[in-house]
Amino acid sequence: MLAVIKLGGSVVTEKTRPYTLREDNINLFADKTRQLYNENIEVVIVHGGGSFGHPTAAKYSLGSSEFSRIKAYGFAETRYWMSYLNLKIIEELLSRGVPAISVQTSAIAQTRNRQLHRFNTEVVNAFLERMLVPVLYGDAVIDVTYGVAILSGDDIAAYLAQELRADVLVYLIGSGGVYDRPPGRPDARLLREIRPSGALPQTSESALDVTGGLRHKLSCAFSAARSGVRVAIGGLTYLREMVLGQDAPYTRVLPE
Ligand code: IP8
């Protein structure tokens, strides 16, 4: 069984406090991944930028057109912070005996018009064949139209799930699933199912997000679901249940 897990930036970092890790969640994620790995479930991890990637990319307007010397520096700084965050996650997995291997996204992916254009899936597959756990991330990448762009981990996870014919794609998010209204509100209700033809939930994303937040995540999730991958969106607590398709409080993404 193959699971592609997108580990949301808001799960592993404090989204409102720049460059701050959520170490408790990183540890819990590593514990749960060890359990899956020990049950011979193949895992590919893709993490988001959280308060490491997004503020840096925004500071240098990496998503806008016109490349410049200052953007070159911003590209390098964004890459630095993403590598830093990636290594923190890898460290915890390795210390639990999980053979996690960092895959530098910008070395194997490019965009055109800010859409995924080239991606070396073979290298990810070759790592899987050798019982490794590849850990990729949303990243600053070469864009053949605009010079550079930000490629979201949400796109990478959906793309890989389809290309590798994963059994399941899980989006782990800080709020624990998709709600009918902003999750902080007392009357907010977890949606147990969501489909593209239904109304999109209202969100109140205040933290800086250069890649489009929940709306973008849902469009990636729907495209994977339409291609036949089972897709779930939920919190870290129920990672195992989502991977195995068991009943628990999370959101199932239906193809139509
Ligand atoms: O948080 C964005 O990845 P995401 C990565 O998965 C950067 O959208 C560098 C902001």
Side-chain angles (χ1 to χ4, degrees):
M1 172 178 200
L2 171 63
V4 175
I5 304 173
K6 164 68 200 300
L7 179 54
S10 60
V11 178
V12 287
T13 73
E14 296 282 356
K15 259 206 140 172
T16 52
R17 289 171 56 199
Y19 312 108
T20 309
L21 295 170
R22 290 187 70 176
E23 286 177 23
D24 50 343
N25 276 355
I26 296 177
N27 288 334
L28 182 58
F29 174 73
D31 286 341
K32 286 180 175 278
T33 305
R34 173 184 49 191
Q35 202 187 356
L36 296 173
Y37 183 78
N38 288 345
E39 289 171 56
N40 293 323
I41 295 172
E42 290 184 299
V43 179
V44 175
I45 298 166
V46 184
H47 65 79
S51 66
F52 286 69
H54 290 270
T56 321
K59 183 163 88 181
Y60 295 97
S61 307
L62 287 191
S64 67
S65 44
E66 272 184 67
F67 194 62
S68 62
R69 207 173 167 84
I70 186 78
K71 264 191 194 158
Y73 188 85
F75 184 86
E77 191 179 318
T78 306
R79 291 251 46 274
Y80 166 81
W81 283 116
M82 289 310 300
S83 300
Y84 181 96
L85 174 58
N86 183 252
L87 280 187
K88 291 289 163 192
I89 296 166
I90 300 259
E91 260 168 37
E92 291 309 325
L93 290 162
L94 280 178
S95 73
R96 286 161 177 81
V98 177
I101 179 161
S102 171
V103 181
Q104 188 200 319
T105 302
S106 60
I108 61 161
Q110 288 187 357
T111 54
R112 177 193 293 274
N113 285 322
R114 304 192 183 100
Q115 304 296 316
L116 193 53
H117 159 59
R118 289 203 188 106
F119 197 100
N120 186 343
T121 315
E122 290 98 271
V123 74
V124 179
N125 207 20
F127 289 141
L128 278 175
E129 282 169 3
R130 287 157 181 80
M131 286 183 276
L132 293 155
V133 174
V135 188
L136 298 90
Y137 42 98
D139 205 3
V141 297
I142 300 296
D143 184 283
V144 296
T145 320
Y146 295 109
V148 298
I150 299 298
L151 175 61
S152 172
D154 293 342
D155 291 284
I156 299 166
Y159 178 82
L160 277 178
Q162 292 171 69
E163 289 292 306
L164 299 171
R165 298 180 188 284
D167 298 279
V168 60
L169 166 63
V170 173
Y171 284 99
L172 287 175
I173 62 175
S175 62
V178 183
Y179 289 77
D180 60 346
R181 58 203 72 197
R185 288 199 1 202
D187 55 346
R189 196 174 53 85
L190 177 73
L191 300 173
R192 299 296 291 259
E193 286 182 348
I194 184 162
R195 51 184 83 232
S197 51
L200 278 180
Q202 307 165 29
T203 59
S204 63
E205 282 160 322
S206 51
L208 193 58
D209 192 319
V210 296
T211 47
L214 183 64
R215 202 163 277 265
H216 181 68
K217 194 180 302 293
L218 285 177
S219 87
C220 296
F222 288 136
S223 103
R226 265 188 235 108
S227 76
V229 180
R230 180 162 60 77
V231 185
I233 304 180
L236 198 44
T237 316
Y238 300 111
L239 173 58
R240 187 181 158 73
E241 287 78 0
M242 287 190 275
V243 168
L244 298 178
Q246 295 169 348
D247 191 38
Y250 61 84
T251 306
R252 286 174 202 268
V253 179
L254 302 179
E256 55 195 51

